[in-house]
Every structure is written in C-alpha cells, then in structure tokens.
Amino acid sequence: MLRKLNKNAENNIIDYVNWKSFMISVFVIGSLWALINTFSDGLFNLVHDNKIPWTHIFLFNYNSFIIWILITPLLFYFSIKVLSKNHKWYTIVLKHFIFASIIAPTQALLFLSFDFFVQNNLSLWTKNIPYPNYIMDFLYLYSLEALLKYGIITGLLLGYILYIKNIVSSKQKADLEKNLAQSRIRNLKHQLQPHFLFNSMQTISNLMHINVNVADEAIANLSDILRFSINQLNNDLISLNEEIEIIKKYLSFQKLRFKDQVDYSLLISKHLESEKIPALLLQPIVENSIKHGFETSGESIKIKIEIVEEKNEIVIIVTDNGPGFMEGFENKPDATGLINLKHRLTYFYKEDFEFNMTNRKKGAKTEIRLPK
C-alpha cells in the first residue's frame, strides 16, 4: 500500500465529472474561439486587401477546433493521470512538454489534412498546391501554433481538475470527520460496554477476597483505562509513550483478570517515543488477540508488541501465540474496535498507511505502517 493520491484520486475526479456538460462546455468555448479567430483573421485580410472568402476563414478556424475537440478528452485524462501522481511541478511540466511534442504535430497533421479535404470539396480552396507539398510547407508552422494552443487548453483543464480535486477532497474530509466523530462515540461505547465492565468488576470482586492490594491495583488500572478513554474523545493524536503507558495498564488489568494466563512483552525504539499517533491505536488490536486467543482456546496467551522505524515509517507489530484469525472475522458485528481503528487511520493518513492482519504458523500477526 503506502499509496499517495493515485488510482483512487484519479477515479474520484473522473467519476465527479459530468461528461455531457464537460463536452458541451468544450464545444461552446471552442466555437467562440473559432468565431473570434475568424473575426480577427477576417479584419486582417480586409485591412491588407486580401481577397479571401469569409466562409473559407471560418471553416479554416472551425476545422482546427473540431480536431481539438476530439483531442481534449485525451488531454483531460492525461492531465488527471499526471496530477494524481503528486509529482513536483517541474515533473508535471516536463511530462506535458513530452506529451505536447507528440500531440502538437499530430493535431497539425490531422487539421491540415481535414481542412484540405473540406475546403477542396466545397471549392473554397484558394491555393493551387498539391496535398503533399501543402503538408510539407505548413506542418512545422501549425505544429508550433498547436503547441501554444496545447498550453492554453491544458492550463484551463488543470484549473478545472484542481477545482474538482478541491471539491472531492472537501467532501471526503467532511465524510471522514463525520466517520471520526461516530467512531469516537462507538469507541467510548465499546470501552464502556456492560460486558467489559461486568467482567472487570467481577474480577475485582474476586480479587478482594484473595489479595486486597492486588484488587486495589486492578481498580486503579481500570480507572485509568476508563478515564483515558473518555479524555481521548476530544484528542486526535498522542505520543507513542502515552499510548504505551495506557496499553501497559490495560494488559496489566487483563493479567489480573485472567490470573496470569495472559502475558505480554513490549519493545519500542526510544527515539520514537515522542512520535504522534492516533489515540487508542493498540487497545483494539490487543483486545482482539485476547478475545480470539485466550478466550477462544482457553490456553495461556503471550502478546508481543514491537514498535520500530523502517524507511522513515513507524512500524507497529502485534503478535500472539493464539489460534489465529478466523476467516472473515474482521467483518463480524463484534469486530467494532477494529472497524473503528481503520476509520481513524483513514481519517489521519488517507491512504498513506498499511494495515495487515495475517495468521502465522502459531498465532496471529497485525502490522501497521504509518509515515513519521
């Protein structure tokens, strides 16, 4: 993955375009362009006393426009492809220059050929010159003119694409913000669900009869977990160090709850501790390991959390020695925590992240890659 604004962005822009309105607009603009050029060329000929029929001048300009109207959708698609790669400005210019060096002579050749055919058949041709000579004499000149028109048309198209891109981006941002707000509420409900609280209180009640100090520690851990979950409703990003502290409390509580049948180890690169990540990123993954590991099999489970840096990415790996993931588990109704997590990652990183859950020979592995 680790994709930037590419295939999806390209499809979003193409899907947003009303192609009927787009082609009508191209037709209207091109027609006005042809009329303005006709008027300009006609006045020039009048001033210089050139005996060239207005019909010939109009068809000459309009024939050029007809070829451009056929080429414009291709230019539009090419411009979307280039912009969707998020290249530097000079790379975009270079790609367009290379493409223009192909399109311009092609347009000139098609235009000259088409105009020669139309004008001859309508007996409006004012030059007594064979077709091959005509093409050889004027191809270079009209290729240069086509380069200029390519620049003008592409500039208008790029402006239109950026306009669409801004609208699509704003809509996606609004949708993602809405999903984030809903995700936060669902996350709170998930944390405070009666099943979790009931089991937690039952665990503490049992510990009170065994070891008051341990029960007191469990109450403190549970209190910190719930307080942190509520406080993070209005926070977007926290440091990795804060995230690690709360997951330690969560795992410590689970160890008490399941009588040390849940164990864990943590490995985090020191220089990453201050890096910011979405709050409560690890908790749903760890909870999933316990739920589908220990609670399903009844066997002791060991969870290992590693956080390292690779190629300027934060790599979070959570592994366990449980029975692994069941097929399609991530789409089940009780996978709320993981669904919320994916929503939040999409909100913060768009598509610039990886989230993979796989089975190992013994146990499951969840890997998240985030840009620093």
Side-chain angles (χ1 to χ4, degrees):
M1 294 184 193
L2 276 179
R3 304 179 299 268
K4 292 196 172 178
L5 190 65
N6 44 46
K7 196 65 181 177
N8 283 343
E10 180 184 316
N11 291 336
N12 287 337
I13 293 172
I14 292 174
D15 291 342
Y16 183 86
V17 176
N18 183 324
W19 288 99
K20 182 179 178 180
S21 297
F22 176 78
M23 293 308 297
I24 290 174
S25 298
V26 170
F27 180 81
V28 171
I29 293 171
S31 297
L32 289 173
W33 188 349
L35 287 172
I36 291 170
N37 281 345
T38 299
F39 184 72
S40 174
D41 293 346
L43 286 179
F44 178 85
N45 289 323
L46 283 176
V47 170
H48 291 81
D49 199 28
N50 293 329
K51 306 298 183 182
I52 301 176
W54 281 86
T55 307
H56 171 78
I57 298 171
F58 172 74
L59 284 176
F60 179 82
N61 286 291
Y62 210 78
N63 288 338
S64 175
F65 153 69
I66 290 173
I67 303 302
W68 278 116
I69 198 174
L70 297 174
I71 293 176
T72 297
L74 178 63
L75 296 186
F76 187 55
Y77 181 71
F78 178 76
S79 298
I80 293 173
K81 290 280 288 185
V82 173
L83 270 186
S84 68
K85 301 299 182 183
N86 280 349
H87 290 307
K88 300 290 186 182
W89 68 267
Y90 49 82
T91 305
I92 294 174
V93 171
L94 178 61
K95 286 196 171 187
H96 271 291
F97 181 78
I98 295 171
F99 194 57
S101 66
I102 300 171
I103 290 295
T106 301
Q107 191 279 339
L109 177 62
L110 291 173
F111 157 60
L112 291 171
S113 301
F114 181 63
D115 187 65
F116 186 90
F117 173 79
V118 171
Q119 302 274 11
N120 263 335
N121 277 273
L122 294 177
S123 301
L124 294 170
W125 194 249
T126 58
K127 297 180 179 67
N128 186 19
I129 180 173
Y131 171 76
N133 294 354
Y134 175 65
I135 295 298
M136 293 298 295
D137 289 346
F138 291 98
L139 183 61
Y140 177 74
L141 175 64
Y142 285 103
S143 293
L144 292 178
E145 182 183 285
L147 275 175
L148 177 61
K149 290 181 178 178
Y150 179 99
I152 295 171
I153 294 171
T154 302
L156 293 172
L157 291 176
L158 287 176
Y160 181 53
I161 292 168
L162 290 174
Y163 168 74
I164 295 175
K165 193 174 173 183
N166 185 56
I167 292 176
V168 171
S169 178
S170 298
K171 186 178 183 301
Q172 287 178 334
K173 184 178 180 182
D175 290 342
L176 287 170
E177 285 175 348
K178 180 180 178 182
N179 288 336
L180 179 65
Q182 294 173 342
S183 177
R184 284 170 169 168
I185 297 302
R186 286 196 297 266
N187 188 63
L188 176 61
K189 291 179 179 178
H190 187 62
Q191 286 290 337
L192 298 177
Q193 61 176 294
H195 177 73
F196 174 73
L197 285 176
F198 175 79
N199 287 335
S200 301
M201 294 305 171
Q202 186 66 48
T203 298
I204 293 170
S205 176
N206 293 336
L207 289 172
M208 291 290 292
H209 299 287
I210 301 171
N211 189 321
V212 174
N213 291 331
V214 174
D216 185 58
E217 180 186 350
I219 292 172
N221 283 339
L222 179 60
S223 176
D224 287 340
I225 292 167
L226 297 178
R227 185 185 302 109
F228 183 85
S229 298
I230 293 171
N231 289 341
Q232 293 312 313
L233 281 174
N234 295 317
N235 292 335
D236 290 332
L237 300 172
I238 61 171
S239 68
L240 261 172
N241 192 47
E242 292 177 285
E243 179 75 6
I244 290 300
E245 287 304 311
I246 198 63
I247 202 64
K248 282 181 179 177
K249 292 181 182 295
Y250 179 80
L251 283 165
S252 295
F253 181 82
Q254 297 297 347
K255 283 189 68 173
L256 294 172
R257 178 183 169 190
F258 295 114
K259 300 176 183 178
D260 289 330
Q261 287 184 288
V262 173
D263 197 10
Y264 69 92
S265 63
L266 286 163
L267 173 64
I268 176 172
S269 299
K270 285 288 183 183
H271 67 283
L272 293 177
E273 290 183 349
S274 61
E275 291 290 335
K276 299 291 186 179
I277 63 168
L280 297 171
L281 189 66
L282 292 170
Q283 187 270 333
I285 299 172
V286 170
E287 180 184 38
N288 189 70
S289 290
I290 294 172
K291 186 171 184 177
H292 294 279
F294 170 72
E295 290 188 16
T296 299
S297 66
E299 298 178 2
S300 297
I301 188 168
K302 182 173 179 63
I303 298 170
K304 183 179 180 181
I305 300 172
E306 298 177 83
I307 304 176
V308 296
E309 179 181 355
E310 287 183 11
K311 298 178 181 178
N312 208 36
E313 295 174 2
I314 300 172
V315 182
I316 301 170
I317 301 173
V318 180
T319 56
D320 64 58
N321 62 341
F325 301 120
M326 295 177 62
E327 186 176 353
F329 78 94
E330 69 275 11
N331 297 318
K332 292 184 178 180
D334 60 353
T336 307
L338 294 175
I339 294 171
N340 291 346
L341 174 57
K342 290 178 182 178
H343 280 320
R344 289 189 290 132
L345 287 173
T346 301
Y347 172 77
F348 289 113
Y349 302 105
K350 302 295 187 291
E351 297 176 344
D352 198 14
F353 73 92
E354 285 189 30
F355 185 95
N356 295 308
M357 306 181 78
T358 55
N359 285 326
R360 304 186 302 158
K361 187 175 182 180
K362 176 62 177 174
K365 175 183 176 181
T366 301
E367 181 176 325
I368 302 175
R369 289 179 174 267
L370 308 173
K372 284 188 65 178

